[in-house]
Amino acid sequence: MTNLSINIGKLKLKNPLTVASGTFGYAEEFKDFMDLKKLGAIVTKTITLKPRKGNPSPRTCETPSGMLNSIGLENPGLKIFIKEKLPYLTKLGNPVIVSIASEGDSQEFVTLAKRLDKIKEIAAIELNISCPNITVTKSQSRKVTRLISQDANATYELVKSVRKITNKTLITKLSPNVTDIADIALAAEAAGSDAISLINTITGMSIDINKREPRIACVTGGLSGPAIRPVALRMVWQVYQKVKIPIIGMGGIIDTLSALEFFIAGATAVAIGTANFINPGVSIEIIEGIKKYLIKNKINNLNDLIGSLNV
Ligand SMILES: Cc1cc2nc3c(=O)[nH]c(=O)nc-3n(C[C@H](O)[C@H](O)[C@H](O)COP(=O)(O)O)c2cc1C
């Protein structure tokens, strides 16, 4: 028997396939395309305390082997999420990982986590401290603020403050827009994070040369898709060598082959993001593909593949 089950903190996943926050809505949107119950876990779109309309349009555009997005964390807010989105998710029975973020005040993470901690159907909380698309509108000008995940001390303090108030599995999602990703991962681990999720999008831009305007209303956006895969893989590999906690790898995974690269680099689980927009059932195909690869290579347990890179 081929064993695809893996552990992330207290979570036991029957297989290592999950979805990347923000590319899968709240799962119900994908119910006609796949048997959702087959997913190892489901990660929600990031929620904030209050509802958010998100950024002005255009907020997505296609780029070579990828896309730029600047959605700006559009979401219905905590109350509506619990009332209208969570019941469908919990009914499915897969572990539900709720992604949370703040609109500026990091105390919002603690407030959100306290509320979610009381809901036993929620398996884990993912701290999105790496969203590149929140604009500060107070001064009318678009200011680029520093992300929590761009500072090891801020990452440590934030994770620590959430760790204090919940025993649920905590996953910290990191930004690739840093000099040394391992430093930030170590800070999250030291503060008590049970796992690291990486990578969020890479900041980029695209220009319409006829209008001489940016293709994204907020000028810059987050690059995702196969274009970022080599960067994501490199970061998974660098972090794997430094931390002991599991890594959920993502960034440009579109098929079994690309998913396998991440396990070999050191990921314990993988998440499918942009590829959901091209082939909504791709995650399920990848689960089958991984199983076939393991059988073909006489590997009984997926855990034996994790971090097996020969250098
Ligand atoms: C349209 C879109 C929306 C996203 N929204 C979120 C989000 O709400 N929270 C988050 O943590 N990441 C968000 N991401 C980032 C993805 O979860 C993922 O980290 C990134 O896209 C890299 O994976 P991929 O190349 O497979 O898409 C979003 C990505 C896209 C393309």
Side-chain angles (χ1 to χ4, degrees):
M1 267 295 273
T2 314
N3 185 0
L4 284 188
S5 68
I6 50 104
N7 295 335
I8 304 276
K10 293 194 195 90
L11 301 191
K12 251 193 160 359
L13 269 53
K14 62 180 179 248
N15 69 62
L17 252 289
T18 183
V19 287
S21 175
T23 65
F24 207 71
Y26 302 94
E28 192 166 6
E29 296 89 332
F30 281 74
K31 69 175 189 299
D32 296 333
F33 300 104
M34 64 187 340
D35 180 358
L36 291 164
K37 290 187 164 69
K38 288 190 175 166
L39 286 170
I42 294 175
V43 183
T44 69
K45 165 80 187 162
T46 299
I47 59 160
T48 47
L49 204 49
K50 298 206 181 95
R52 276 180 66 88
K53 284 203 184 91
N55 291 338
S57 290
R59 36 192 212 177
T60 61
C61 82
E62 216 172 306
T63 56
S65 295
M67 67 179 278
L68 283 172
N69 93 79
S70 179
I71 306 294
L73 294 187
E74 177 181 348
N75 80 93
L78 178 71
K79 260 194 204 153
I80 294 177
F81 166 75
I82 292 175
K83 198 165 159 239
E84 295 177 13
K85 308 290 182 189
L86 195 59
Y88 180 83
L89 279 163
T90 53
K91 212 173 60 195
L92 289 169
N94 320 46
V96 175
I97 301 171
V98 180
S99 169
I100 61 171
S102 83
E103 292 186 90
D105 174 10
S106 57
Q107 187 57 30
E108 190 177 334
F109 278 97
V110 177
T111 310
L112 281 159
K114 266 189 187 157
R115 287 288 307 278
L116 298 174
D117 182 61
K118 296 196 183 89
I119 305 174
K120 68 171 189 323
E121 291 87 356
I122 293 172
I125 296 170
E126 182 169 272
L127 303 171
N128 176 7
I129 56 170
S130 49
C131 179
N133 298 322
I134 293 202
T135 52
V136 176
T137 48
K138 266 189 199 141
S139 62
Q140 295 297 87
S141 65
R142 290 189 200 96
K143 264 204 304 205
V144 179
T145 50
R146 204 156 178 212
L147 304 170
I148 295 169
S149 62
Q150 284 172 325
D151 182 311
N153 288 332
T155 299
Y156 179 87
E157 293 304 331
L158 190 279
V159 175
K160 188 103 190 149
S161 62
V162 179
R163 179 75 290 169
K164 269 191 202 145
I165 58 92
T166 181
N167 286 321
K168 282 196 195 291
T169 295
L170 265 191
I171 302 163
T172 308
K173 183 157 177 184
L174 303 189
S175 169
N177 303 305
V178 294
T179 311
D180 187 345
I181 190 78
D183 256 7
I184 313 288
L186 282 167
E189 181 181 49
S193 189
D194 297 299
I196 300 291
S197 209
L198 73 146
I199 60 174
N200 210 317
T201 53
I202 300 177
T203 308
M205 63 190 280
S206 178
I207 293 172
D208 179 329
I209 56 155
N210 294 316
K211 295 187 194 152
R212 293 191 218 166
E213 282 176 4
R215 286 204 164 92
I216 296 279
C218 288
V219 186
T220 62
L223 182 63
S224 63
I228 70 169
R229 191 191 305 148
V231 178
L233 261 179
R234 183 262 293 179
M235 290 193 162
V236 166
W237 181 65
Q238 285 180 330
V239 169
Y240 177 73
Q241 291 171 89
K242 291 281 170 74
V243 304
K244 292 187 180 68
I245 52 178
I247 300 165
I248 304 174
M250 71 199 76
I253 300 176
I254 53 161
D255 55 16
T256 302
L257 299 186
S258 43
L260 285 166
E261 286 191 79
F262 278 78
F263 293 110
I264 296 167
T268 294
V270 294
I272 309 302
T274 303
N276 289 313
F277 303 134
I278 303 159
N279 175 4
V282 69
S283 322
I284 310 298
E285 292 170 18
I286 295 175
I287 298 170
E288 289 310 312
I290 293 170
K291 210 184 277 176
K292 278 191 192 142
Y293 172 87
L294 293 180
I295 293 170
K296 193 172 156 210
N297 288 278
K298 299 189 173 55
I299 302 168
N300 293 330
N301 193 326
L302 174 68
N303 285 288
D304 295 336
L305 185 69
I306 296 167
S308 62
L309 182 71
N310 295 312
V311 181

